[in-house]
Amino acid sequence: FLKKMMDFPYWSYVSMIIKLTMVSIVLFVVVYYIPTILNLDTWNLLITSVIISTIFIVLSYYMFVLTKDDRNMIMGFVKSKIRNA
Protein backbone atom coordinates (compact mmCIF):
# COMPACT_ATOMS: atom_id res chain seq x y z
CA PHE A 1 0.00 0.00 0.00
CA LEU A 2 2.71 2.48 1.02
CA LYS A 3 4.86 1.63 -1.99
CA LYS A 4 1.99 2.50 -4.33
CA MET A 5 1.48 5.83 -2.57
CA MET A 6 5.13 6.89 -2.54
CA ASP A 7 6.20 5.64 -5.97
CA PHE A 8 9.88 6.08 -5.03
CA PRO A 9 12.32 3.95 -7.04
CA TYR A 10 14.08 1.41 -4.86
CA TRP A 11 17.40 1.66 -6.73
CA SER A 12 17.55 5.42 -6.22
CA TYR A 13 17.29 4.92 -2.47
CA VAL A 14 19.95 2.17 -2.42
CA SER A 15 22.27 4.22 -4.62
CA MET A 16 22.01 7.21 -2.27
CA ILE A 17 22.71 5.05 0.79
CA ILE A 18 25.78 3.53 -0.91
CA LYS A 19 27.13 6.96 -1.83
CA LEU A 20 26.60 8.29 1.70
CA THR A 21 28.28 5.23 3.20
CA MET A 22 31.31 5.53 0.92
CA VAL A 23 31.73 9.22 1.70
CA SER A 24 31.48 8.49 5.42
CA ILE A 25 34.09 5.73 5.27
CA VAL A 26 36.54 7.90 3.33
CA LEU A 27 35.98 10.76 5.76
CA PHE A 28 36.63 8.48 8.72
CA VAL A 29 39.92 7.29 7.20
CA VAL A 30 41.04 10.85 6.45
CA VAL A 31 40.24 12.10 9.95
CA TYR A 32 41.74 9.00 11.55
CA TYR A 33 45.12 9.53 9.87
CA ILE A 34 45.38 13.29 10.47
CA PRO A 35 47.20 12.84 13.82
CA THR A 36 49.82 10.56 12.27
CA ILE A 37 50.42 12.88 9.33
CA LEU A 38 50.47 16.12 11.32
CA ASN A 39 52.28 16.17 14.64
CA LEU A 40 50.15 18.72 16.45
CA ASP A 41 49.20 19.23 20.06
CA THR A 42 45.66 18.48 21.22
CA TRP A 43 43.92 21.80 20.50
CA ASN A 44 45.59 22.41 17.16
CA LEU A 45 44.78 18.84 16.18
CA LEU A 46 41.14 19.29 17.16
CA ILE A 47 40.80 22.54 15.22
CA THR A 48 42.57 21.10 12.18
CA SER A 49 40.44 17.95 12.24
CA VAL A 50 37.21 19.94 12.43
CA ILE A 51 38.20 22.24 9.57
CA ILE A 52 39.43 19.42 7.32
CA SER A 53 36.36 17.30 8.11
CA THR A 54 33.98 20.13 7.31
CA ILE A 55 35.68 20.97 4.03
CA PHE A 56 35.89 17.33 3.04
CA ILE A 57 32.24 16.63 3.88
CA VAL A 58 30.98 19.62 1.91
CA LEU A 59 33.12 18.88 -1.15
CA SER A 60 32.50 15.14 -1.21
CA TYR A 61 28.73 15.47 -0.84
CA TYR A 62 28.71 18.19 -3.48
CA MET A 63 30.68 16.03 -5.92
CA PHE A 64 29.32 12.54 -5.25
CA VAL A 65 25.89 12.76 -3.64
CA LEU A 66 24.12 15.72 -5.21
CA THR A 67 22.60 15.45 -8.66
CA LYS A 68 23.51 17.81 -11.47
CA ASP A 69 20.33 19.83 -10.93
CA ASP A 70 21.09 20.17 -7.21
CA ARG A 71 24.65 21.34 -7.94
CA ASN A 72 23.38 23.91 -10.47
CA MET A 73 20.85 25.22 -7.95
CA ILE A 74 23.53 25.57 -5.26
CA MET A 75 25.95 27.29 -7.64
CA GLY A 76 23.21 29.73 -8.69
CA PHE A 77 22.45 30.50 -5.05
CA VAL A 78 26.13 31.03 -4.19
CA LYS A 79 26.70 33.22 -7.26
CA SER A 80 23.67 35.36 -6.42
CA LYS A 81 24.92 35.83 -2.84
CA ILE A 82 28.39 36.79 -4.08
CA ARG A 83 26.94 39.33 -6.54
CA ASN A 84 24.74 40.88 -3.84
CA ALA A 85 27.52 41.09 -1.26
Side-chain angles (χ1 to χ4, degrees):
F1 175 73
L2 187 59
K3 185 176 180 178
K4 291 179 185 177
M5 287 180 60
M6 291 183 62
D7 194 33
F8 187 72
Y10 175 74
W11 181 247
S12 176
Y13 176 75
V14 171
S15 172
M16 184 63 68
I17 295 296
I18 290 171
K19 288 177 184 179
L20 291 171
T21 304
M22 294 303 294
V23 167
S24 300
I25 290 171
V26 171
L27 177 65
F28 173 77
V29 170
V30 168
V31 172
Y32 182 78
Y33 283 109
I34 286 174
T36 59
I37 295 171
L38 306 172
N39 275 335
L40 300 173
D41 61 352
T42 306
W43 287 107
N44 288 336
L45 181 62
L46 176 67
I47 293 168
T48 304
S49 296
V50 168
I51 291 171
I52 289 175
S53 298
T54 304
I55 291 170
F56 190 77
I57 287 171
V58 169
L59 290 178
S60 58
Y61 280 108
Y62 180 80
M63 293 172 59
F64 299 113
V65 177
L66 297 177
T67 64
K68 186 176 182 179
D69 294 333
D70 294 336
R71 287 189 292 247
N72 289 337
M73 182 181 69
I74 290 173
M75 286 305 293
F77 178 76
V78 170
K79 287 178 183 178
S80 71
K81 291 297 180 184
I82 290 173
R83 276 187 243 133
N84 293 336

